[in-house]
């Protein structure tokens, strides 16, 4: 029976791996992104920030509504209060024990924009938080893309490692036959065994890398770590249209929008802090009741329109105002920094995509040359005009070329996703 050629053997191994029942239904990149949007753990944590910011709006809006206070209780005195009339004695003005309560309703009429600035600031911070969530979501999406194509890359690298193992197994068979015929020395046999062991180690490393990337993808998508699916091998995203890329990035990036809203919120905080120098006009209505059988009016009803202003509180108002001004300056500086970072991120991603595409084209030709080089050296060795070292070096070279190719494909796909993310369109 004619033995299988190394290439046929490697294809058989890959076919058996593909037929393994552990793989379930095919999973597309789009489905992975949907799973991440719904089940990613870090996004679930970030989503709470939006709810917290929403409640801050409710708190700030409460300043437009009246404040209702109630206080009540029951007092027991050792001795009731009395009025002393000298030699004529004294008369009690209170009962020894009595109940009381106070109910008041206070409404701010005008506070020089303090409440409206507070509400505006809360609304802007809520919008900024929503944009921060969108930015976090795009970061997670990029991680999913990297993990998805990382699995495809790891599978191809594992296939390359399996192919090298098959090639060196076949070479060991040939070296063994030639050694038994007395044509080659034992050194060729030992060299083939050592190189086969080395290739087996590489295969284990490649399999472990594939397993780790599966667990990372499952973590990002909120699935059980041990779940495995068949990924769509043909999934390749198209290079996005980069016309006006920088302008689109500045317009679409949620991080920039979030920082712009934060700067607006800091401006509203300055207005709020400045209002601390001004008075507040308010109206108040209430009832004070004290149980007392000694007096005629036990419940006092009153209405007040008043003005209150803080005259001195240890320079706290001045300090709050200076803090708010510095926060506004910091927010504006952070926005300028973020714009420059986006510009750098976009330029880097575009450059990486161009280089990776060039690498793919150059390595594609090298693969054919490497396969031809291996064939020639294998034939020369079998014809006893070449050395075992030449064959093993040709196998190593072909494996390296294929590894470079798969990594270039992976880098190109990830770079395209980074370009989309940099433009805010992932």
């Amino acid at each position: 029976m004619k033995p299988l050629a190394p290439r046929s053997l490697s294809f058989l191994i890959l076919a058996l791996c593909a037929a393994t029942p552990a793989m379930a239904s095919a999973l597309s990149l789009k489905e992975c992104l949907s799973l991440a949007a719904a089940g990613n753990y870090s996004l679930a944590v970030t989503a709470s920030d939006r709810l917290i910011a929403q409640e801050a709006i409710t708190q700030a809006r409460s300043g437009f509504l009246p404040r209702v206070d109630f206080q009540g209780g029951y007092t027991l005195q050792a001795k009731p209060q009395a009025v002393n009339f000298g030699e004529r004695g004294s008369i009690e003005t209170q009962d020894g024990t009595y109940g009381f309560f106070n109910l008041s309703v206070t409404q701010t009429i005008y506070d020089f924009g303090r409440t409206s600035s507070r509400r505006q600031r809360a609304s802007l911070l809520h919008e900024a938080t929503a944009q921060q969530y969108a930015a976090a979501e795009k970061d997670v999406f990029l991680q999913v893309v990297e993990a998805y194509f990382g699995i495809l890359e790891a599978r191809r690298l594992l296939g390359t490692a399996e192919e090298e193992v098959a090639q060196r197994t076949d070479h060991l068979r040939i070296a063994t036959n030639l050694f038994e015929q007395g044509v080659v020395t034992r050194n060729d046999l030992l060299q083939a065994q050592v190189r086969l062991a080395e290739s087996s180690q590489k295969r284990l490393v490649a399999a472990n890398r594939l397993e780790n990337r599966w667990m990372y993808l499952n973590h990002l998508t909120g699935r059980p770590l041990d779940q495995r699916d068949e990924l769509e091998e043909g999934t390749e995203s198209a290079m996005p249209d980069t016309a006006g890329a920088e302008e689109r990035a500045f317009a679409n990036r949620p991080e920039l929008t979030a920082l712009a809203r934060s700067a607006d919120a800091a401006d509203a905080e300055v207005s709020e802090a400045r209002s601390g120098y001004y008075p507040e006009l308010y109206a108040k209505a209430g009832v004070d009741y004290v149980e007392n059988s000694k007096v005629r009016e036990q419940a006092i009803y009153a209405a007040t329109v008043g003005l209150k202003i803080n005259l001195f509180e240890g320079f706290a108002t001045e300090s709050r105002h200076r803090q708010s001004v510095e926060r506004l300056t910091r927010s504006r500086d952070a926005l300028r920094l973020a714009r420059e970072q986006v510009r750098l991120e976009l330029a880097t991603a575009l450059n990486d995509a161009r280089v990776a595409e060039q690498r793919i084209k150059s390595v594609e030709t090298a693969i054919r040359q490497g396969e031809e080089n291996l064939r020639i050296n294998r034939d020369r060795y079998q014809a006893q005009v070449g050395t075992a070292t030449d064959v093993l070096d040709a196998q190593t070279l072909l494996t390296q070329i294929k590894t470079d190719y798969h990594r270039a494909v992976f880098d190109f796909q990830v770079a395209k996703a980074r370009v989309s993310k940099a433009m805010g369109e992932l």
Side-chain angles (χ1 to χ4, degrees):
M1 180 178 178
K2 185 178 179 180
L4 287 172
R7 183 175 239 177
S8 301
L9 181 60
S10 64
F11 286 159
L12 178 59
I13 292 173
L14 291 175
L16 291 174
C17 291
T20 302
M23 297 299 179
S25 58
L27 189 64
S28 68
L29 176 59
K30 184 177 180 180
E31 290 171 336
C32 287
L33 294 175
S34 298
L35 289 171
N40 183 266
Y41 301 111
S42 63
L43 291 181
V45 174
T46 308
S48 300
D49 295 337
R50 292 187 299 175
L51 300 178
I52 294 172
Q54 179 62 48
E55 294 303 323
I57 297 177
T58 303
Q59 293 178 17
R61 192 183 295 120
S62 66
F64 292 111
L65 302 176
R67 172 170 178 158
V68 181
D69 294 299
F70 175 83
Q71 181 181 1
Y74 196 78
T75 301
L76 290 81
Q77 300 183 102
K79 289 184 179 181
Q81 189 178 42
V83 176
N84 190 359
F85 290 97
E87 296 179 356
R88 290 182 293 179
S90 61
I91 300 176
E92 293 180 354
T93 60
Q94 284 184 323
D95 295 332
T97 59
Y98 61 89
F100 68 94
F101 74 84
N102 170 267
L103 176 65
S104 64
V105 180
T106 306
Q107 173 66 57
T108 299
I109 299 175
Y110 186 66
D111 59 2
F112 290 87
R114 182 182 305 133
T115 301
S116 58
S117 297
R118 188 177 298 134
R119 182 192 58 78
Q120 181 185 12
R121 176 173 177 267
S123 298
L124 290 168
L125 288 177
H126 176 260
E127 186 176 350
T129 302
Q131 293 296 326
Q132 288 168 357
Y133 178 86
E137 188 176 54
K138 292 184 182 299
D139 287 337
V140 170
F141 285 173
L142 180 59
Q143 294 171 23
V144 170
V145 171
E146 291 176 342
Y148 187 93
F149 285 109
I151 290 175
L152 296 180
E153 178 204 28
R155 281 186 180 175
R156 295 187 179 105
L157 292 179
L158 178 58
T160 300
E162 294 281 5
E163 185 177 348
E164 185 180 76
V165 169
Q167 291 169 353
R168 291 189 170 173
T169 299
D170 186 66
H171 175 70
L172 176 60
R173 178 187 60 79
I174 295 172
T176 302
N177 291 336
L178 294 177
F179 174 73
E180 291 174 350
Q181 296 171 15
V183 178
V184 298
T185 64
R186 185 174 180 79
N187 181 65
D188 283 11
L189 182 61
L190 294 175
Q191 189 180 35
Q193 292 172 340
V194 170
R195 291 296 187 94
L196 176 59
E198 178 187 12
S199 297
S200 299
Q201 290 292 323
K202 290 181 180 178
R203 178 178 57 185
L204 290 174
V205 172
N208 181 64
R209 184 183 298 111
L210 174 61
E211 183 68 14
N212 288 342
R213 288 185 174 179
W214 259 117
M215 289 190 287
Y216 184 52
L217 178 63
N218 288 338
H219 167 73
L220 291 173
T221 53
R223 305 189 312 159
L225 294 181
D226 59 351
Q227 186 169 341
R228 301 293 180 268
D229 295 284
E230 182 65 42
L231 298 186
E232 292 185 358
E233 288 282 345
T235 300
E236 291 188 359
S237 58
M239 186 69 183
D241 179 17
T242 57
E246 190 171 294
E247 292 75 12
R248 287 157 62 187
F250 290 156
N252 297 334
R253 284 294 290 266
E255 299 96 323
L256 299 182
T257 304
L259 288 171
R261 295 297 174 270
S262 295
D264 294 339
D267 192 26
E269 184 183 9
V270 172
S271 299
E272 178 187 349
R274 192 184 299 115
S275 67
Y277 294 110
Y278 304 116
E280 177 183 326
L281 181 66
Y282 70 94
K284 181 178 181 181
V287 55
D288 286 289
Y289 172 80
V290 177
E291 184 182 8
N292 189 354
S293 61
K294 311 295 185 180
V295 298
R296 183 182 63 185
E297 298 294 340
Q298 299 186 54
I300 305 298
Y301 298 88
T304 304
V305 175
L307 185 73
K308 61 180 179 181
I309 184 172
N310 174 259
L311 299 178
F312 183 72
E313 57 173 342
F315 304 105
T317 301
E318 291 85 349
S319 178
R320 282 193 293 268
H321 182 252
R322 288 194 297 267
Q323 282 182 334
S324 63
V325 171
E326 289 301 322
R327 276 193 282 267
L328 175 58
T329 302
R330 183 184 62 184
S331 296
R332 290 173 175 170
D333 290 340
L335 178 58
R336 284 192 290 268
L337 173 61
R339 288 174 65 89
E340 292 304 314
Q341 290 174 334
V342 166
R343 182 179 284 113
L344 175 62
E345 179 184 345
L346 176 60
T348 302
L350 287 170
N351 185 61
D352 289 346
R354 284 192 294 266
V355 172
E357 189 174 21
Q358 294 170 0
R359 285 166 54 200
I360 292 173
K361 293 178 180 178
S362 64
V363 177
E364 282 176 339
T365 303
I367 289 178
R368 293 190 294 270
Q369 296 169 344
E371 290 174 341
E372 180 65 13
N373 178 56
L374 175 59
R375 185 191 65 78
I376 293 173
N377 280 284
R378 186 187 295 118
D379 292 343
R380 285 170 54 84
Y381 179 67
Q382 292 180 359
Q384 292 302 295
V385 292
T387 66
T389 302
D390 293 336
V391 177
L392 294 171
D393 288 346
Q395 291 173 350
T396 301
L397 179 61
L398 180 58
T399 299
Q400 185 60 50
I401 292 172
K402 289 185 176 181
T403 299
D404 292 342
Y405 173 76
H406 295 319
R407 286 177 176 166
V409 172
F410 168 75
D411 292 343
F412 183 52
Q413 294 299 328
V414 172
K416 289 190 293 185
R418 286 169 50 207
V419 170
S420 296
K421 191 256 183 184
M423 293 191 298
E425 298 173 357
L426 181 61

